[in-house]
Amino acid sequence: MGFIELTVLNNTARQAAIGIDLGTTNSLGALWKDGRPIVLHPEGGNGYVPSAIYFGDDGSIVVGREARDRALIDPEHALFSIKRFMGRGLKDVAQDAKSVPCPLGENPNGVIEFEMRGKKYTPQELSALILLKVHDIACRTLGGHETTKVVITVPAYFDDAQRSATRDAARLAGLDVLRIVNEPTAASLAYGLDQKKQGTVAVFDLGGGTFDVSLLSIEEGVFRVLSTHGDTHLGGDDLDHLLVQAAMEDLSRTIPATTLRDRGFQQLLRLAAEKCKIELSTAPEAGMHVHLPEAALHWRRRFTREEFEQLAAPVIERAIDACRKALADAKLELTAIDEVVLVGGATRIPLVRRRVEEFFGRKPHTELNPDEVVALGAAVQAHVLTGGTRDILLMDVTPLSLGMETLGGAVAKVILRNSTIPCSATEGFTTYADNQTGIDFHVVQGERELARDCRTLGRFKLSGIPPLPAGMARVAVKFHIDANGLLTVSAKEEITGATARIEVTPMNGLTDGEVEGMLKESYVHARADFDASRLSNLKVEVGTMLRATEHGLREYKSALDKETVRDLDDSMASVRAALELSDVTALQKARDVFERATLPLAAVMMDNVAKRALTGKRLDEV
Ligand code: ADP
Ligand code: MG
């Protein structure tokens, strides 16, 4: 997001922004307050929103704790783990689809749709509901201090389609995403590790259903993902499952198999197991209880921590193995790791802490709550992006290489993984047949050599190439990644000036039209004055962008090419026209075009800030 950097520079927008950890199991919001990030929770509550949604028979939809409770009685109408489906196609999620209680489909763009009580919902819409809930709780805690600005975290291994889906979810919730940040980066920020001059951090994240370990390098406030490894089906749930199995063995002697297999009963067992597991993190012994008065069932069993650890050890070793692989991938020795950060509720388990400490040979950071640390870090980033002070410039890197399929199915990488974003790169292409007047471009993401082994991000065609002998046409293809890791690709034939471009709406992503369509759907907009508030927020935002850009142009116009300046002028004119009309949709569109047009300017300005920040620091140190 180009303009964010501009507003940081000018220090104009000081509206607070909320950091949101949109988790597979739990989601949470945090905010910078009085010099530090704090978790936002209502009095008496802890602020966690279980990432669960329940669809009532009266058409109502409830989110969070209440949804999880209702799932106990009516599991057929509850959805969990929606994050697993974000930006994916049906074929990517075959395994997860099995645990979904409703029919799953795919729309013509390959976006998954859950069908509940006769209506279809995309993962983006469902995540939007969770975001709205977190946002609501946050705003209530703030005493009605409305802000729509947010920073949202995603796993480091999320690809473009998954990031894009996350961004769309936020848009559907009426939120303005300042930036998408990697979860391990956020956790490191929460511990202030960006303040280190340089170092290597291992972030070990064991959540409810997923595990990942990321190795990050820090250099002058810039985080680089050196490697990330994990298992998207390894987490606290597996440990619950082990206890459930132990219970089932016991119970199978007394109750019929049909009751045992019932979804509702399974859910009850699962909750009892989780409660027992959580108690065992602090107590040497805990009970697992199942009460079903209707069936006159009162079952209980005690587990010692030792028994639990014996059950859990193989699961935890799988996570440690992934750490070995991550180190090997990054070609690092254990001794290279300076800091270890624990993330995720399941890292409260003493055995997990012990094993991580043994493996890395150093004490991991545990001063902050592991299930809050990502949201706290997102709040730090949000603070910085809204003009708060923290001297260091925070940047992220691309997790995967981006490139173009060439003749023969090979991949020409245009932007290499670990490039600091925002960034741009241009690569030359040509025709392979005589008199070829069009080129089909296939944009891919991944580290593999062949396009078919990488993930397709999009396809587009450049036509209007003059008929020339093979290899004579000169086509410049430009990749641009904005600060959220989202990609625009444009191609230009240099003789005729013919151009084509795509904003890579990734496969399994929503089209702009769909987003607009969904935005109009009323159920996401519980608040009556939603459009009105969106319009006024947009107006403020666009006003800020205009001022910042005018300012930037005064100083840096000479560093930009003519085309960029013209794009900027055009898009500023359209934005001003849309402002006059007070039409939300038109303004949003114009704003998005404008934002893209500001990217080159932002890059120039970023360059300058970076230089200044570095020189500034050196001076301080002398
Ligand atoms: P996610 O990032 O996947 O959304 P969280 O980081 O919130 O998930 O972790 C949720 C997991 O942490 C659940 O399996 C939960 O049972 C587990 N958990 C939470 N608190 C504890 C605790 N005190 N001891 C053991 N496990 C815990
Ligand atoms: Mg998490």
Side-chain angles (χ1 to χ4, degrees), residues 21-27 51 83 183 205-210 235-237 240 274 277-279 281 343-349 370-371:
D21 170 7
L22 180 60
T24 312
T25 317
N26 293 302
S27 299
S51 305
K83 188 169 174 177
E183 287 163 12
D205 183 346
L206 190 62
T210 62
D237 296 349
D240 303 343
E274 182 178 16
K277 170 189 75 177
I278 289 177
E279 247 180 86
S281 288
V343 180
T347 63
R348 289 176 187 264
I349 296 170
D371 30 22

Side-chain angles (χ1 to χ4, degrees), residues 78-143:
L79 293 175
F80 295 89
S81 298
I82 288 138
K83 188 169 174 177
R84 295 185 184 281
F85 299 87
M86 293 284 275
R88 308 274 82 176
L90 271 185
K91 67 172 181 0
D92 305 319
V93 295
Q95 187 181 354
D96 296 313
K98 288 188 204 134
S99 46
V100 173
C102 68
L104 277 184
E106 223 177 44
N107 82 2
N109 292 310
V111 177
I112 290 176
E113 289 177 326
F114 297 82
E115 195 177 332
M116 270 292 184
R117 299 206 192 263
K119 281 191 81 174
K120 291 179 175 160
Y121 305 92
T122 62
Q124 287 88 329
E125 290 171 283
L126 298 171
S127 295
L129 294 171
I130 296 169
L131 286 171
L132 267 181
K133 181 85 179 183
V134 174
H135 179 252
D136 261 13
I137 291 179
C139 288
R140 275 213 313 276
T141 320
L142 291 174

